[in-house]
Amino acid sequence: MQGATSPTTARDLGALQRFLEGCRQAAMRDQHWKLANITLAVNHIDPLAVIDSIYEAKEKHFYLETTARDEAVAGADAVICCESSGPERFAAIKAFANEVGEHTIATGDLPDPRDGVSILAAFAFADTVEAGSAMPAAVAFVPRWQVKRQNDHYTASANLLITADTPVEAYAQRLWKAHEKFSDFSYTAQPQTLRTQPDPVRIESSADAYAEAVRQALALIDAGAFRKLVLARTFILEKETDFLPLEALNRLRNRYPACHCFSFGNGDAVSFIGASPEWLLRLSDGVVHTEAIAGSIARGKTATEDANFARALLGSEKDIHEHRLVIDSIIRRLGKAGLNGQPSATPQLLQLANVQHLRTMIAAPVAEGMHILDIAAHLHPTPAVGGTPREAALPYISKLEPFSRGLYSGLVGHFNLKGEGQFAVAIRSALIEANRATVYAGAGIVAGSIPEKEVLETECKARAMMDVLANPA
């Protein structure tokens, strides 16, 4: 990072123009583009409402919110972008982020200007994706604008790519108008006619075919091929008019405040949205936090039924075995990254609106300079979405699932120029393409799994997404 200037730079048009001119001079001197970042504190702002107000289907967009933690990030319109594929995709995105950091010049209200730039990223489940896939195997971009909420503190950021021939005066004028807009943002309501949607037609993937895939996985487990395999299925929803993914997200965050609601738009009118109960990891202040979530049961219709379900889950030998496999794998993977992961003493219940899980929190101190992508490359995919042993299990997913996962069970997240940030595991999700939505749900198959119960579990997990897409009210 090449430096930062006084916060007053962005609060005076003349000073802002001089700041951008300084960036242009640096670009000329180094013969390399510069990223000018301006981050200012603003009044209350809702990142999802902002992105909904200025949403453009032909621009990349990103949104990630955890209501329970009072934090959200939204950004759109890629200023600079990187895509990658193959086993080195995490390293390639890290190299891109390092180049951005080396050539960023920041100003604004933050004590550490490296916090002002967020790299917004998504990684598919697999290292490669099929030709013509809606999303690449790995993609990261710096947004032209970004808004962030954290613990009742709100910031708005603008990022400009400055080159030797950038028209500085015009950029400064445009940025000044944007500053005035975000300082007192006026949300634009969607026309009411867009909110009246006919019920979609649901075309479910065959329950019988999924049950047969589970039986095949169980036979492989009995033969010693692997100990656990996560198998997913899809549910297709179609209707005459287009789905409105951001409206669905608003319903998701209201109904599932404990989850991490996300949207990643590819810039070609396709969005991948979800409400995930699971972080892959969070890195801040020298500590990485991750979690093992495995073992599931439904919620009860009454308090007594719910408590009985919870007790059954906590005492289930099959679910505790599945959960232990995930904990052990995460700790091994952290060890390969040079980290000493420490799990909480016993699993706790993670109770969501439609399902409850076993969850164990895991933390590890991190050496200075370690990047979040260094750790993510070791952790992904966990046995909660892949299988164990990883190398033995993963090849069977494509053999037993009749579809390509894409971003499903991949990662969606963001990180700053210090390499700190967070990634959610992209489950409980759907790919939205105009009037077609593909909803994904999976279940962990271990010794003792019953195919018919796994069918019901996937239907339970998919219900949350299908409900918000099918019922706009």
Side-chain angles (χ1 to χ4, degrees), residues 196-208:
T196 302
Q197 304 176 48
D199 290 338
V201 176
R202 172 181 158 186
I203 307 172
E204 182 180 341
S205 62
S206 169
D208 291 340

Side-chain angles (χ1 to χ4, degrees), residues 188-222:
T188 302
Q190 295 286 349
Q192 188 64 35
T193 54
L194 293 180
R195 299 180 186 275
T196 302
Q197 304 176 48
D199 290 338
V201 176
R202 172 181 158 186
I203 307 172
E204 182 180 341
S205 62
S206 169
D208 291 340
Y210 183 75
E212 176 57 29
V214 172
R215 282 189 281 270
Q216 293 181 42
L218 287 169
L220 289 164
I221 291 171
D222 289 343

Side-chain angles (χ1 to χ4, degrees), residues 98-174:
N98 287 341
E99 182 182 18
V100 170
E102 182 181 353
H103 295 283
T104 291
I105 305 173
T107 188
D109 294 331
L110 299 178
D112 188 336
R114 294 176 297 175
D115 290 327
V117 178
S118 289
I119 311 291
L120 312 178
F123 293 85
F125 172 74
D127 288 338
T128 59
V129 296
E130 297 177 352
S133 295
M135 302 285 181
V139 57
F141 71 97
V142 176
R144 187 173 305 280
W145 63 264
Q146 174 189 301
V147 291
K148 181 183 291 187
R149 183 189 83 241
Q150 188 164 18
N151 300 324
D152 286 327
H153 296 286
Y154 308 88
T155 57
S157 299
N159 296 295
L160 301 174
L161 201 66
I162 306 297
T163 63
D165 57 355
T166 291
V168 166
E169 184 175 351
Y171 270 37
Q173 291 284 352
R174 191 183 313 161

Side-chain angles (χ1 to χ4, degrees), residues 20-35:
L20 295 180
E21 177 59 30
C23 295
R24 191 178 75 86
Q25 293 295 327
M28 293 174 61
R29 182 177 61 252
D30 296 348
Q31 297 186 339
H32 193 286
W33 54 260
K34 302 299 171 185
L35 183 73

Side-chain angles (χ1 to χ4, degrees), residues 50-101:
V50 171
I51 201 170
D52 192 24
S53 296
I54 59 178
Y55 171 74
E56 294 288 344
K58 294 298 183 180
E59 293 178 357
K60 282 184 169 58
H61 78 259
F62 172 96
Y63 163 80
L64 179 62
E65 176 171 11
T66 305
T67 302
R69 294 180 60 90
D70 193 25
E71 60 184 28
V73 174
D77 190 7
V79 171
I80 185 170
C81 180
C82 175
E83 295 185 3
S84 184
S85 181
E88 300 303 315
R89 57 185 175 144
F90 286 94
I93 298 301
K94 179 185 173 183
F96 163 73
N98 287 341
E99 182 182 18
V100 170

Side-chain angles (χ1 to χ4, degrees), residues 9 53 88 118 124 149 169 233 237 261 265 281 304 373 385 387:
T9 297
S53 296
E88 300 303 315
S118 289
R149 183 189 83 241
E169 184 175 351
R233 59 192 292 212
L237 287 77
C261 293
L281 76 166
T304 299
L373 293 180
V385 295

Side-chain angles (χ1 to χ4, degrees), residues 27 48 56 68 252 262 420:
L48 181 57
E56 294 288 344
L252 280 172
F262 61 84
E420 297 180 337

